[in-house]
Amino acid sequence: AWLREKIPVLEATGRYLLTRISPNGLMNGAGFYMETPPRNQWDGVTQCYAVRAFRQLASLNDSLGKQDAASTWNHHADALRARFLEVLWQRDHFAEYVHPERGVVDTHGLSDVNWAAVGLEVATEDQIKRLWPILMHARMFWRGGMPTQLVTKPASYEKWEYPEPLPFKLPNPLYDVAAMGRVWYLETLACLRMREYKRLRESVLKVCLMGKKQDWLWSERYRAVQGDTVKSEGPRGYCEYAAILVRTVVGNPSIFPESQDLDFTHQTET
């Protein structure tokens, strides 16, 4: 009954997303969670999250017995997925984004788009067979022992990729080229889908060790610096790493059986 009341609002959101699809078949709006650099204009992660959103709308309608609506939303998901695979697949990995003047951009090593394509169930099984071994050997995603960096070659951005002039001073025009909780979340989804539980547990341990080092107040991001190290930047006490850590561990008790011994009833203030 609750869902039947809310489904019109959810579908209105979906229809808005459809208006963001450009004549080239990709959803515009630059980076899904990138501010600087902005990934002008068609970000690979945006496409994957939009496909997931359309799939979820189809599933919700299906649960209400609205088969025609479910079929429509699945059709939109299929169309966007097909275009994403056609444009961004590069033989054994996915490119990062599509620039309106320079075309497909794939110059920063491997990017978070690859985790998104796997974790959000957009990549095909054949693509995953080629891609997954490469991701598992890309150690620069965990530069400085902190998962997960946005790209494996953070020093390769060019000035034409920098953000437009802004009315305030940026600390760094490549501010989002760092390890961030939002990127780690995509990796956790990919590892869950691939049953890569050993790596998932290892990444959780690394996030915990960084949290312990910083009095359990993670920073928003960890930028790669000289040597195999990272520098914490952004707000201290930012919620992303903490929230994704709890979601990953407590939400997957079969992978983290020790989480069943945790007592959260008296931890509200913490």
Side-chain angles (χ1 to χ4, degrees):
W2 178 91
L3 178 57
R4 194 174 298 279
E5 178 186 349
K6 301 299 182 184
I7 197 69
V9 176
L10 299 173
E11 290 198 286
T13 305
R15 288 193 296 273
Y16 167 74
L17 289 177
L18 292 174
T19 70
R20 302 305 300 263
I21 295 179
S22 303
N24 66 5
L26 297 174
M27 187 168 292
N28 68 13
F32 177 76
Y33 50 44
M34 291 285 287
E35 299 165 5
T36 172
R39 283 182 177 171
N40 178 24
Q41 179 68 229
W42 298 281
D43 169 31
V45 174
T46 299
Q47 316 310 312
C48 295
Y49 266 117
V51 170
R52 167 62 69 89
F54 294 151
R55 294 278 187 231
Q56 289 176 325
L57 278 171
S59 177
L60 292 171
N61 275 285
D62 184 64
S63 69
L64 294 173
K66 301 175 66 174
Q67 301 303 323
D68 288 345
S71 178
T72 296
W73 288 116
N74 273 323
H75 171 75
H76 291 310
D78 291 342
L80 183 57
R81 179 193 185 216
R83 190 60 176 147
F84 166 79
L85 298 180
E86 177 186 358
V87 175
L88 277 85
W89 178 246
Q90 306 292 304
R91 293 192 297 274
D92 61 2
H93 69 282
F94 289 96
E96 188 174 345
Y97 68 103
V98 180
H99 190 275
E101 297 173 355
R102 298 174 182 265
V104 174
V105 178
D106 185 35
T107 55
H108 311 128
L110 297 169
S111 75
D112 56 337
V113 177
N114 295 281
W115 299 116
V118 177
L120 296 172
E121 302 183 31
V122 177
T124 67
E125 292 300 320
D126 182 62
Q127 290 169 337
I128 292 174
K129 288 179 181 178
R130 301 185 200 181
L131 171 62
W132 195 250
I134 296 173
L135 290 178
M136 292 299 96
H137 288 89
R139 69 177 190 86
M140 297 310 285
F141 272 124
W142 286 7
R143 185 110 173 233
M146 189 61 179
T148 305
Q149 289 285 330
L150 186 81
V151 296
T152 57
K153 294 182 179 180
S156 60
Y157 284 83
E158 300 184 50
K159 288 189 176 180
W160 58 264
E161 297 181 272
Y162 288 10
E164 63 187 10
L166 298 169
F168 53 87
K169 184 177 181 180
L170 284 172
N172 180 355
L174 302 178
Y175 188 57
D176 285 318
V177 183
M180 297 182 286
R182 64 203 78 162
V183 184
W184 180 47
Y185 179 56
L186 291 174
E187 180 178 340
T188 66
L189 292 179
C191 286
L192 286 169
R193 182 184 178 191
M194 298 301 295
R195 301 179 184 272
E196 195 72 46
Y197 300 147
K198 181 179 179 181
R199 180 184 176 94
L200 181 61
R201 286 181 61 90
E202 185 180 358
S203 74
V204 163
L205 177 60
K206 290 182 179 297
V207 170
C208 287
L209 289 174
M210 182 62 77
K212 183 178 181 180
K213 182 180 178 181
Q214 297 187 325
D215 297 324
W216 303 109
L217 291 174
W218 287 269
S219 296
E220 182 182 14
R221 64 199 69 217
Y222 296 84
R223 180 170 56 88
V225 293
Q226 289 185 343
D228 190 18
T229 59
V230 293
K231 178 183 179 182
S232 60
E233 292 183 338
R236 187 168 180 267
Y238 202 72
C239 66
E240 276 185 2
Y241 274 106
I244 295 162
L245 176 63
V246 172
R247 174 182 291 186
T248 301
V249 173
V250 181
N252 296 281
S254 63
I255 306 171
F256 301 93
E258 54 270 66
S259 68
Q260 301 306 292
D261 298 327
L262 299 176
D263 180 7
F264 293 99
T265 57
H266 302 294
Q267 302 298 320
T268 304
E269 289 188 16
T270 303

